Amino acid sequence: MTPVSRHPPSRRIGIIGLGMHVPPKVLTNSDLEKIVDTNDEWIQSRTGIRERRVVEPGTTTSDIACLAAHDALKAAQLDPRDLDLLIVATATPDMLFPSTSCLVQHRLGASAAVCFDLSAACSGSVFAMVTAQQYLLTGRYRNALIIGAEVLSSFIDWTDRSTCVLFGDGAGACVMAPVKRGGILATDMGSDGSAASLLYMPGGGSKHPPSHRSVDQRMHFLRMNGGEVFKVAVRRMADSAKRVVKQATLKPEHVECFIPHQANIRIIEAVAKRAALPLEKVYMNLQRYGNTSAASNLIALYEAVQEGVVTRGDHVVMVAFGAGLTWGSLLLQW
Ligand code: UT7
């Protein structure tokens, strides 16, 4: 049974500032038609994606992470020097080490913050938020900056039509701290390493260090069994979302907004159905950004708040799924 936590109102952790950044360069489905054997009709009908953003060559994950972080710190009215904890969730770090969070810390001037990266692929921002919540609940840390940031365009095989149409670059950020009202009411996380081969990048680590062979065999690009990932994603996300709603002693009809990982409109529709969450309460922006992995949930939450879809007092369920496999959700009151 996956552990689920609930917290009394006296010690609730919430979001006090949000930020996001997507690179300005738009790559449409028609642009992709010129690169691989695909078409707009296939991509839209199978995924819901119309376009995605990609960085210019040379732009790194830490670059876009910093831009999202600036917004979130400003919204939280927090001086970077007062930041206690900084977690970057990413599957596409600038380098294997040092952590991207250390690079971001230096550029933000957050010299007092403890920094580490969190590797949970597309579940990264939800995992990082739950992790930060645990640190903040102890009282040892006063605040935390969570960033989900990805430059997936550097790890995508642009000759593989089954994956290159799905992903995009972007960053989302939030500042978390104890709150007097609202905040996180329930959380849920899970992992299943037995299915690691469904979505992975074989090259570049200790198993297949960079070599002529690893490059020739295109090992430094993402590989995925899309059909299998699809099936597991639906089951895991729906069950996780149901668990947090139950643990918060709420019913699906009490949830005002559902913010799923923005991977595929068909996955999201199936999750909503299985979790008994009406589609009109499900926020989607994947049509504009594609799957931005660890950035996805935070970018979606940012836009849902900006658009007034999420307003004060609303119950929001964020749910994610990714390589690992990993999945997680949290229910928060805005
Ligand atoms: O964060 C989690 C990350 N992973 C995901 O979100 C992926 C989850 N999986 C999916 O979203 C879906 O499985 C896909 C969108 C990847 C694929 O959709 P599908 O409905 O499962 O299609 P399929 O893989 O069964 O492929 C159907 C056909 C195949 O042709 P044949 O063998 O039937 O002739 C593919 O070769 O579609 C073909 N195809 C394409 N055609 C045009 C695959 N990719 C493309 C493409 N354009 N880009």
Side-chain angles (χ1 to χ4, degrees):
M1 182 66 192
T2 314
V4 182
S5 61
R6 238 171 26 136
H7 301 286
S10 57
R11 289 193 67 75
R12 281 212 191 126
I13 307 302
I15 293 172
I16 61 166
L18 279 167
M20 71 169 270
H21 176 78
V22 286
K25 187 173 173 185
V26 176
L27 191 67
T28 64
N29 292 349
S30 333
D31 295 330
L32 284 169
E33 287 174 8
K34 294 169 200 134
I35 303 174
V36 285
D37 179 17
T38 190
N39 57 80
D40 177 52
E41 197 282 326
W42 190 97
I43 302 172
Q44 285 212 46
S45 63
R46 300 292 179 116
T47 72
I49 300 164
R50 285 204 305 263
E51 59 188 41
R52 68 289 294 140
R53 303 297 182 93
V54 289
V55 298
E56 294 293 346
T59 299
T60 65
T61 298
S62 65
D63 290 335
I64 60 174
C66 282
L67 293 167
H70 279 302
D71 276 5
L73 288 165
K74 195 171 165 206
Q77 299 180 319
L78 185 67
D79 188 316
R81 290 170 297 190
D82 294 328
L83 191 63
D84 284 355
L85 179 65
L86 197 173
I87 307 176
V88 174
T90 185
T92 56
D94 286 23
M95 299 174 253
L96 276 181
F97 60 88
S99 69
T100 301
S101 57
C102 283
L103 304 176
V104 171
Q105 178 215 31
H106 177 62
R107 283 166 56 185
L108 292 178
S111 50
V114 172
C115 304
F116 57 89
D117 285 4
L118 192 147
S119 171
C122 303
S123 307
S125 55
V126 169
F127 269 42
M129 289 170 74
V130 177
T131 303
Q133 178 213 25
Q134 303 301 311
Y135 275 77
L136 297 171
L137 281 170
T138 67
R140 169 77 176 74
Y141 296 80
R142 294 166 303 169
N143 53 55
L145 172 62
I146 307 307
I147 310 170
E150 305 280 13
V151 173
L152 285 151
S153 56
S154 297
F155 298 87
I156 283 166
D157 185 345
W158 291 102
T159 66
D160 175 10
R161 69 175 183 174
S162 71
T163 54
C164 76
V165 303
L166 303 175
F167 298 95
D169 300 337
C174 71
V175 177
M176 295 172 66
V179 288
K180 290 202 172 69
R181 64 169 81 185
I184 295 174
L185 308 184
T187 63
D188 174 68
M189 293 159 83
S191 311
D192 176 12
S194 72
S197 62
L198 292 184
L199 180 48
Y200 69 117
M201 193 186 86
S206 57
K207 191 175 170 78
H208 297 292
S211 65
H212 287 295
R213 189 179 136 267
S214 72
V215 173
D216 289 346
Q217 295 186 359
R218 309 186 79 75
M219 285 186 179
H220 303 272
F221 295 125
L222 171 159
R223 293 180 186 177
M224 179 169 66
N225 178 339
E228 282 308 306
V229 171
F230 190 113
K231 280 187 264 179
V232 192
V234 170
R235 180 165 58 87
R236 292 300 192 183
M237 282 201 284
D239 294 353
S240 183
K242 282 200 281 195
R243 276 196 292 273
V244 285
V245 173
K246 191 170 170 206
Q247 288 299 317
T249 56
L250 296 173
K251 295 215 157 36
E253 55 268 31
H254 298 131
V255 176
E256 279 85 14
C257 189
F258 177 60
I259 311 255
H261 169 45
Q262 306 285 311
N264 181 321
I265 192 171
R266 288 158 54 224
I267 295 179
I268 293 173
E269 285 168 356
V271 170
K273 192 170 171 200
R274 191 173 161 123
L277 292 156
L279 252 194
E280 55 275 17
K281 290 186 176 179
V282 179
Y283 186 79
M284 277 188 263
N285 59 7
L286 61 85
Q287 58 279 10
R288 292 195 294 279
Y289 305 126
N291 180 347
T292 57
S293 186
S296 147
N297 289 88
L298 280 171
I299 290 177
L301 179 64
Y302 177 95
E303 292 203 331
V305 171
Q306 286 291 311
E307 291 166 19
V309 175
V310 170
T311 54
R312 197 172 196 161
D314 282 356
H315 295 94
V316 178
V317 170
M318 297 173 77
V319 58
F321 176 87
L325 299 172
T326 54
W327 58 90
S329 53
L330 55 87
L331 193 152
L332 57 90
Q333 193 174 17
W334 193 249

